[in-house]
C-alpha cells in the first residue's frame, strides 16, 4: 500500500494562503496556523491508517484545517465594497480600504452570531445592509483615504 501521508507543512501553506486571502487580520497568527496544520496532518494520517480513501482523508483534514474559517468578515466587507461602492474605488483599493475599516466594523459584526454558514442565513442580508450604510457614512465623514 502506497503511503499518501501529508505532513503539516503542506497544510500550513494551504491554511496560510486561505488566511492571507480571507482573514488577513490573522495572517501573523503563526502559532494558530502551525497548530491547526498539525491537527489536519494528524487527522489525515489517522483517516488514512483507518483505511479511508484518499478523498475522504483530504475531506477530514480540510474539515479540521478550516473549521471556523468559512465565514470571513473581511470577505463580507470586500463584497459590500465591490458591489455597492464600485463607483467610489479603483479595483485595487477595495482590499486596502477593507483592511482599514474592518476594526471600525467590529460593533456591527458583534450583533450577529457569525457561524461558518452565516452567509446562508437571512441575517446575512441584514448585516450586508448595515455594513453598506456604515461604509457610506464613513466615506462621507472621513473620505476614502
Amino acid at each position: 500500500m502506497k503511503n499518501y501521508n501529508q505532513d503539516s507543512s503542506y497544510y500550513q501553506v494551504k491554511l496560510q494562503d486561505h488566511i492571507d486571502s480571507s482573514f488577513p487580520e490573522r495572517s501573523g497568527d503563526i502559532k494558530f496556523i502551525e497548530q491547526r496544520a498539525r491537527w489536519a496532518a494528524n487527522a489525515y494520517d489517522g483517516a488514512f491508517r483507518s483505511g479511508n480513501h484518499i478523498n475522504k482523508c483530504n475531506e477530514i483534514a480540510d474539515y479540521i484545517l478550516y473549521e471556523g474559517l468559512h465565514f470571513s468578515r473581511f470577505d463580507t466587507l470586500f463584497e459590500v465594497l465591490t458591489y455597492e461602492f464600485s463607483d467610489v474605488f479603483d479595483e485595487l483599493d477595495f482590499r486596502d480600504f477593507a483592511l482599514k475599516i474592518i476594526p471600525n466594523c467590529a460593533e456591527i459584526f458583534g450583533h450577529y452570531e457569525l457561524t461558518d454558514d452565516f452567509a446562508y442565513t437571512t441575517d446575512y442580508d441584514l448585516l450586508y445592509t448595515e455594513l453598506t450604510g456604515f461604509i457610506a457614512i464613513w466615506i462621507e465623514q472621513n473620505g476614502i483615504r
Side-chain angles (χ1 to χ4, degrees):
M1 180 178 209
K2 190 172 180 182
N3 186 359
Y4 288 94
N5 192 13
Q6 299 284 5
D7 71 16
S8 65
S9 64
Y10 166 79
Y11 293 107
Q12 191 171 343
V13 169
K14 195 173 172 179
L15 182 58
Q16 184 72 58
D17 183 53
H18 178 66
I19 286 177
D20 287 346
S21 85
S22 294
F23 297 87
E25 69 278 8
R26 295 192 74 174
S27 287
D29 194 348
I30 303 304
K31 184 176 178 180
F32 169 77
I33 294 167
E34 289 174 347
Q35 180 181 46
R36 193 59 79 84
R38 280 192 308 274
W39 289 352
N42 289 339
Y44 180 96
D45 188 51
F48 185 79
R49 290 176 189 270
S50 295
N52 287 289
H53 188 273
I54 300 302
N55 292 340
K56 184 66 174 177
C57 296
N58 286 325
E59 181 183 316
I60 291 167
D62 283 350
Y63 178 82
I64 299 294
L65 192 65
Y66 299 120
E67 184 179 9
L69 296 172
H70 295 286
F71 180 79
S72 164
R73 294 173 183 209
F74 175 80
D75 286 346
T76 303
L77 279 173
F78 191 86
E79 181 179 354
V80 169
L81 290 169
T82 56
Y83 286 111
E84 305 300 330
F85 299 93
S86 61
D87 58 332
V88 177
F89 293 95
D90 290 332
E91 196 170 312
L92 299 174
D93 292 336
F94 291 133
R95 183 174 175 80
D96 290 339
F97 190 78
L99 284 170
K100 176 182 175 178
I101 201 169
I102 198 168
N104 301 55
C105 298
E107 186 177 337
I108 294 170
F109 284 112
H111 295 132
Y112 299 92
E113 186 177 343
L114 303 176
T115 59
D116 278 347
D117 60 352
F118 179 76
Y120 308 106
T121 67
T122 56
D123 279 349
Y124 178 79
D125 295 333
L126 296 172
L127 172 64
Y128 187 97
T129 302
E130 275 192 73
L131 288 172
T132 301
F134 178 80
I135 293 168
I137 293 168
W138 171 271
I139 291 171
E140 186 178 304
Q141 292 176 348
N142 302 291
I144 58 172
R145 300 281 175 222

